[in-house]
Amino acid sequence: MTDSVVELQTVERHVLQIKMQDRVSKNTFSEALTRGLIETFAEVGARSDCKVVILTGYDNYFASGGTQEALLSLSAGHGAFTDRDLYSLALRCPVPVISAMQGHGIGGGFVLGLFSDIVILSRESIYTANFMRYGFTPGMGATCVLPQKLGFGLATEMMLSANNYRGEELQQRGISFPVLPRDQVMIRALELAQVLAEKPRLSLVTLKEHLNASLRDALPGMVEKEVAMHAITFPQPEVKARIEELFRH
């Protein structure tokens, strides 16, 4: 898959890396990136030689959320984000996933990374749950995973305000993830992956299943409520106008 917008490669013994690199869309959830991630995670889950996965982006981008076309389609009442389960790929992967978020994590792209088992942020990058900037309520399981991973107070602020936060600021706010200079994020991810890869695969799979039980159990109900909120908030004419305006900049 070396020519794909999603590249899968072995970086250490028992360690696979999934690299998102849709440079045309800047790692928004284009059809190519979405399909590539779903297919690649399916391949990883079927590989008995894999004990750990590192998920990362390219240059200054980790993942940038929905495309303008997808958001306008949702605002017109066509489909739902649940039509393709992109957001919980890392959660459903049987082996531990490390999100090496070396670049910006925007909206659903930030949420995608938070569903990993271990998250590493960069000091310089922007992280945001920016759904409300467009006028619609959060989706992609954000209302479930953000409070669990960031704490209720910070998660609520991020979702209501839709503000941008540098990794350095989130570190000052007390998040529990490592926050490092961008050029050190992958180094730390590889170090952690090597430590995990020393363990028996069955033990890693079993422990991951146990540690994620509460998140996995809560997610379907929260996603159902997010879809219901979208049915209320997406059809507003203001939302379509905001999407068109913000994507012009």
Side-chain angles (χ1 to χ4, degrees):
M1 299 185 67
T2 54
D3 295 328
S4 172
V5 297
V6 178
E7 178 186 80
L8 178 64
Q9 62 176 323
T10 301
V11 290
E12 297 285 348
R13 188 166 181 262
H14 300 307
V15 179
L16 296 179
Q17 176 184 280
I18 298 173
K19 185 174 183 179
M20 300 177 285
Q21 50 185 9
D22 191 340
R23 296 174 182 270
V24 173
S25 76
K26 296 182 179 178
N27 277 358
T28 54
F29 293 149
S30 64
E31 174 60 24
L33 185 67
T34 299
R35 185 176 63 250
L37 282 171
I38 291 171
E39 292 175 353
T40 303
F41 268 100
E43 178 181 346
V44 167
R47 287 185 53 166
S48 60
D49 63 321
C50 176
K51 294 184 179 182
V52 190
V53 178
I54 297 173
L55 177 65
T56 194
Y58 76 94
D59 297 347
N60 297 344
Y61 294 96
F62 176 72
S64 304
T67 64
Q68 181 180 25
E69 293 74 19
L71 296 181
L72 286 173
S73 180
L74 290 173
S75 75
H78 303 313
F81 70 85
T82 51
D83 292 343
R84 301 171 85 176
D85 187 355
L86 174 66
Y87 53 94
S88 68
L89 288 172
L91 178 67
R92 293 186 290 108
C93 183
V95 297
V97 179
I98 300 172
S99 275
M101 299 177 69
Q102 88 306 327
H104 308 313
I106 310 298
F110 183 44
V111 176
L112 175 72
L114 290 183
F115 273 107
S116 296
D117 302 281
I118 297 174
V119 177
I120 307 170
L121 305 183
S122 88
R123 290 177 184 167
E124 305 94 327
S125 297
I126 290 171
Y127 304 100
T128 177
N130 66 337
F131 307 91
M132 290 283 280
R133 192 174 304 163
Y134 298 94
F136 61 86
T137 48
M140 299 285 291
T143 61
C144 188
V145 73
L146 262 71
Q148 284 213 21
K149 295 295 181 75
L150 302 177
F152 182 80
L154 179 57
T156 299
E157 178 187 316
M158 290 187 78
M159 287 187 283
L160 284 173
S161 71
N163 284 341
N164 294 338
Y165 298 78
R166 294 280 179 187
E168 185 174 18
E169 180 181 354
L170 293 176
Q171 185 177 40
Q172 293 169 352
R173 296 288 296 271
I175 65 167
S176 59
F177 311 141
V179 181
L180 304 169
R182 179 174 289 135
D183 60 2
Q184 295 181 25
V185 170
M186 183 55 68
I187 294 172
R188 175 66 65 86
L190 286 168
E191 290 172 349
L192 288 169
Q194 289 170 340
V195 171
L196 269 62
E198 296 171 354
K199 280 69 175 178
R201 186 180 189 276
L202 179 59
S203 298
L204 291 168
V205 171
T206 301
L207 182 55
K208 170 170 178 166
E209 180 80 7
H210 171 73
L211 293 174
N212 283 300
S214 61
L215 178 57
R216 192 176 55 252
D217 292 347
L219 186 59
M222 295 294 279
V223 164
E224 183 178 349
K225 293 176 181 177
E226 289 180 355
V227 172
M229 288 193 294
H230 278 183
I232 297 170
T233 61
F234 255 116
Q236 300 174 91
E238 182 183 356
V239 170
K240 179 182 178 182
R242 281 173 176 258
I243 293 169
E244 292 174 340
E245 174 65 22
L246 288 168
F247 270 92
R248 280 198 288 267
H249 299 288

